[in-house]
Amino acid sequence: MCSHPGLRFGNEALKMAAVGRASTVAALPGNYPSVDNQSAEEDDGQNLWSSILSEVTTRSRSKLPTGKNVLVLGETGAGKTTLVAKLQGVEDYIKGKGLEYMYFSVLDDDIDDHTRCNAWVLDGDLYHKGLQKFAVSQDNLANTMVLLVVDMSRPWLAVDSLQKWASVIQEHIDKLRIVPETMREIEQKLMRHFQEYTEPSSAGTASPQRRNPPSSETDDDSVLLPLGDNTLTHNLGVPMMVVCTKCDAIGSLEKEHDYRDEHFDFIQSHIRHFCLQYGAALLYTSMKENKNLDLLYKYLIHRLYGFHFDFPAQVVEKDSVFIPSGWDNEKKIAILYENFQTLKINNNFEEIIVKPPLRKFVHEKELGAEDDQVFLVKLQSLLTKNPPAAAGRATDSTNRGTSGSPRASNRSTTANVTSVMPMQSGTKKIDPSMKGGQTSEGVLANFFNSLLSKKSGTQGPGGNVTGSSTPGTTVKKSVTGCWPR
């Protein structure tokens, strides 16, 4: 019986479908994965890849940024180049002219990354102020920090120097002609940093090297206190820091120029008022003693790269002051006024902290001890050229010493008696017939010999009576009153 070809094809299709269903059902029990298990594994794989991609993205975002700059301004000889060389780890650095380019390394141990921070040192001569355009431009203004260096060995220049260099950088920023919206944005960022300052906690849980999230990622709903009086009245849009160098000279100022604690408090109060107006931090350093240099480095990378910073303010030691931006206010500065004894708050800085008069340096010749043998040889040659004068009369050395005339002014009465007493017995009298300059001495010798050898009135060699002319007087061993009048 012949069947239709289409019917045979349909029967075969039905058989294949049945076999497919059976195989599907047979695959359910046993060790083969189900549809739900396959979907779970796919989800786990997607989560793994998502975590890897997010980690890579996070690491790429957390890499240290490049193009950060530090502009250093200050008077000639204030120690600008030496300060940056210390940050760089270089001891001996040759100072240049105009605008110097230097750098210091920045390390992040958490992500094992490092970069270089550019440092530009401008010459202290205002003639070179136009070179700022090579260091600070429209593109990198938001990534720039300004250091104003003050020489504390010359404190009478402090206030004028700060005002001068602040006006120099402000003039340069004005010439950049930055878009008003961009300038307003960086000014708001600086003001927000000042307002958001909080005292560091004593138990710091964050790693010293871990960087904080940018300010844009923080909570925008936090309440910010308004700025106080005379605070950020000059907002340049760039973070600033006043670095006082050579603070080891404070001791010499006290000794040589009679500076007292109230003078240093007076100087500090004026510098802190300036920092408050510009929203700047303040730090006292000493390259000679390596004081606060590590603190300077950590604060720089904190402001430029967002590293964690947990150092509190220091205002106790007069040569180691540190005031971070946002900590200070007028009330805290007023505490310094309590130490004023002879100074007043309203005194002009130029009238109190004056330049001392120049003292003429007199080079004193150093004196050294001469060798004994050399001295004796010189003395011997001197005595050989100028022999001492010989005695003017012949005397018995056994009876009489080498003393001079009894009329010498430096001879006391006791000494006269001692030198004359041995002549009481066996005295060899001086010949009165001696000539020259010895005649007067011979007469005097005969006079004393007659007094000592004759107790009663007898006639001496010169024919004169040597006895006492006053009754009841006896000759004593003392020659007091026996000098011829």
Side-chain angles (χ1 to χ4, degrees), residues 136-424:
V136 181
S137 62
Q138 294 181 358
D139 300 331
N140 64 4
L141 179 64
N143 297 320
T144 301
M145 184 172 180
V146 178
L147 295 187
L148 300 181
V149 180
V150 175
D151 186 358
M152 282 301 291
S153 65
R154 299 175 292 175
W156 48 88
L157 301 177
V159 175
D160 289 340
S161 175
L162 289 174
Q163 294 175 352
K164 178 177 71 174
W165 292 107
S167 62
V168 168
I169 185 63
Q170 184 172 8
E171 180 184 356
H172 175 68
I173 293 176
D174 294 339
K175 290 181 179 180
L176 294 178
R177 297 180 180 179
I178 299 177
V179 179
E181 290 76 10
T182 305
M183 193 66 195
R184 191 179 304 110
E185 181 181 349
I186 60 178
E187 289 177 355
Q188 290 292 331
K189 181 180 178 182
L190 183 64
M191 183 176 65
R192 188 177 183 85
H193 178 86
F194 193 93
Q195 293 174 313
E196 288 179 345
Y197 175 82
T198 56
E199 292 285 349
S201 59
S202 58
T205 57
S207 173
Q209 289 293 329
R210 190 174 299 279
R211 289 187 291 149
N212 297 330
S215 58
S216 59
E217 299 179 7
T218 57
D219 187 10
D220 295 335
D221 297 334
S222 58
V223 178
L224 301 178
L225 297 177
L227 297 175
D229 298 335
N230 299 323
T231 304
L232 266 180
T233 56
H234 299 74
N235 191 343
L236 302 184
V238 293
M240 298 178 63
M241 187 176 190
V242 175
V243 181
C244 297
T245 58
K246 303 181 183 180
C247 292
D248 52 278
I250 290 180
S252 61
L253 291 174
E254 292 177 331
K255 295 178 181 179
E256 299 178 4
H257 303 298
D258 298 331
Y259 276 66
R260 299 185 298 274
D261 288 343
E262 61 177 342
H263 291 98
F264 296 112
D265 291 339
F266 186 77
I267 297 171
Q268 184 187 142
S269 65
H270 279 76
I271 296 178
R272 286 172 64 176
H273 272 119
F274 173 87
C275 294
L276 197 61
Q277 294 174 358
Y278 285 86
L282 174 62
L283 181 65
Y284 281 27
T285 64
S286 172
M287 276 84 75
K288 187 176 182 180
E289 300 176 354
N290 288 330
K291 182 177 296 183
N292 287 340
L293 295 179
D294 185 60
L295 183 59
L296 172 62
Y297 171 78
K298 291 181 178 180
Y299 190 78
L300 287 177
I301 63 176
H302 162 66
R303 294 301 302 269
L304 291 173
Y305 297 93
F307 281 90
H308 179 73
F309 186 81
D310 57 356
F311 288 86
Q314 302 174 4
V315 293
V316 178
E317 299 293 335
K318 59 187 175 183
D319 59 345
S320 183
V321 176
F322 169 63
I323 299 177
S325 177
W327 179 87
D328 213 356
N329 54 44
E330 288 287 349
K331 293 182 179 180
K332 293 179 180 179
I333 297 177
I335 298 177
L336 296 173
Y337 303 151
E338 299 176 359
N339 299 328
F340 290 179
Q341 297 178 356
T342 60
L343 302 180
K344 296 181 180 180
I345 302 174
N346 298 327
N347 288 137
N348 292 329
F349 186 87
E350 295 78 8
E351 296 178 357
I352 302 300
I353 309 300
V354 297
K355 183 178 180 180
L358 296 177
R359 298 179 180 179
K360 294 183 178 180
F361 179 75
V362 179
H363 181 70
E364 297 182 357
K365 186 178 180 180
E366 295 183 0
L367 299 179
E370 192 176 21
D371 186 70
D372 294 343
Q373 297 299 326
V374 175
F375 172 75
L376 293 176
V377 169
K378 291 182 179 180
L379 185 61
Q380 183 181 10
S381 62
L382 183 62
L383 293 176
T384 303
K385 294 179 181 179
N386 301 318
R393 62 183 183 278
T395 57
D396 189 356
S397 60
T398 59
N399 295 335
R400 215 175 150 163
T402 59
S403 59
S405 172
R407 297 179 65 91
S409 60
N410 61 345
R411 175 171 294 188
S412 63
T413 304
T414 306
N416 290 335
V417 174
T418 305
S419 62
V420 175
M421 282 298 295
M423 297 181 66
Q424 290 182 358

Side-chain angles (χ1 to χ4, degrees), residues 416-480:
N416 290 335
V417 174
T418 305
S419 62
V420 175
M421 282 298 295
M423 297 181 66
Q424 290 182 358
S425 60
T427 304
K428 184 177 181 180
K429 300 180 180 180
I430 305 291
D431 188 2
S433 61
M434 296 179 68
K435 299 180 180 180
Q438 302 156 353
T439 304
S440 59
E441 294 185 0
V443 174
L444 292 174
N446 291 335
F447 174 75
F448 284 107
N449 289 336
S450 63
L451 291 177
L452 296 174
S453 61
K454 304 294 182 178
K455 295 183 179 181
S456 59
T458 57
Q459 190 173 6
N464 297 326
V465 177
T466 60
S468 174
S469 60
T470 305
T473 60
T474 58
V475 178
K476 299 182 180 180
K477 293 182 180 180
S478 175
V479 295
T480 304

